[in-house]
Amino acid sequence: MKFFADTAEIDEIKDLAATGLLDGVTTNPSLIAKSGRDFMEVTKEICGITDGPVSAEVVALDHATMMKEADKLRAIAETVCIKVPLTIDGLKTCKALTEDGTMVNVTLCFSANQALLAAKAGASFISPFVGRHDDNGTNGMELIEDIRLIYDNYGFETEILVASVRHVTHVLESARIGADVMTAPPKVIKSLFNHVLTEKGIAGFLADWEKTGQSIL
Ligand code: E4P
């Protein structure tokens, strides 16, 4: 399963890239606002850190203006993946861009039927938001299971990009189900390293090492 970082914070992206875990980055208008950075500039900077897809989202609601925005964004780098909302105009834009060889991430997916539409429109990625489902009292991971089943039934190549990931269990379940990608805040990705027995093990080894009075360097 590929790991994308869901952030526009440059230092955090660099830090994750150094671990070799980073396969791409997703942003959205809220994350750009939170970063306080210029959208075009920060997107270009992110593309310089990772070789993987960098999702940059259009904000227009109509197809013609979405295409104009996408043209500006895809000129930043070949790895820019245009993010469009799951609407009729969003999917028209998805079809036009993918036919033109540009990657498209269809976002704000909350149902398996919506995911089916995105795959039929040729989306490179579909982003079902699991955390927001959970917030709303429905099980986000069941949506991932349904989409996996439907995509496998028909051999769709659209990659399932689990989004709105809030905790390590979302990551584990995504991998169990066979999602292609998950995007999570850096804090969640880093928490995957944590295990109390790893910490306890390190402390025990260090205590015994002290007793030897030796030094490696
Ligand atoms: C995905 O691409 C979105 O940017 C993101 O995962 C949304 O997450 P949130 O529901 O935590 O805002």
Side-chain angles (χ1 to χ4, degrees):
M1 186 168 71
K2 286 175 258 185
F3 280 18
F4 288 0
D6 198 29
T7 183
E9 304 298 330
I10 294 294
D11 288 348
E12 292 189 324
I13 295 168
K14 281 186 180 162
D15 198 30
L16 277 175
T19 65
L21 285 176
L22 192 70
D23 299 304
V25 173
T26 51
T27 66
N28 63 37
S30 305
L31 292 171
I32 296 295
K34 195 173 158 204
S35 76
R37 297 282 313 274
D38 174 83
F39 184 23
M40 306 298 282
E41 270 177 29
V42 78
T43 304
K44 190 172 178 185
E45 223 173 303
I46 296 170
C47 291
I49 302 169
T50 177
D51 293 334
V54 175
S55 289
E57 189 161 344
V58 297
V59 289
L61 297 178
D62 66 285
H63 171 54
T65 319
M66 280 182 188
M67 286 301 294
K68 284 184 194 155
E69 291 180 349
D71 276 342
K72 272 194 84 172
L73 293 169
R74 66 178 166 172
I76 295 173
E78 275 186 6
T79 50
V80 167
C81 174
I82 304 298
K83 215 169 172 190
V84 299
L86 212 154
T87 60
I88 290 179
D89 285 68
L91 292 194
K92 280 183 192 167
T93 305
C94 172
K95 184 174 184 298
L97 290 172
T98 52
E99 281 178 357
D100 206 18
T102 298
M103 284 184 287
V104 176
N105 174 356
V106 177
T107 191
L108 291 167
C109 169
F110 291 93
S111 79
N113 276 336
Q114 287 180 317
L116 179 57
L117 299 181
K120 286 176 73 68
S124 319
F125 301 97
I126 181 68
S127 287
F129 279 36
V130 295
R132 293 194 195 185
H133 248 299
D134 295 352
D135 293 344
N136 207 38
T138 44
N139 185 346
M141 295 318 299
E142 281 177 11
L143 172 59
I144 305 304
E145 282 175 348
D146 283 349
I147 300 172
R148 181 74 283 158
L149 178 73
I150 291 167
Y151 280 12
D152 288 349
N153 280 349
Y154 298 99
F156 285 121
E157 286 178 9
T158 301
E159 294 190 46
I160 303 174
L161 196 176
V162 181
S164 189
V165 165
R166 302 274 167 78
H167 47 70
V168 294
T169 309
H170 279 151
V171 180
L172 179 62
E173 289 300 311
S174 299
R176 277 192 175 137
I177 294 166
D180 302 285
V181 194
M182 72 89 203
T183 189
K187 197 176 88 178
V188 173
I189 297 178
K190 284 187 181 163
S191 64
L192 292 166
F193 285 93
N194 300 341
H195 197 288
V196 66
L197 293 180
T198 305
E199 285 154 31
K200 202 173 157 190
I202 290 172
F205 287 153
L206 286 185
D208 290 339
W209 179 247
E210 284 281 307
K211 291 178 207 158
T212 71
Q214 299 180 48
S215 144
I216 295 175
L217 297 177

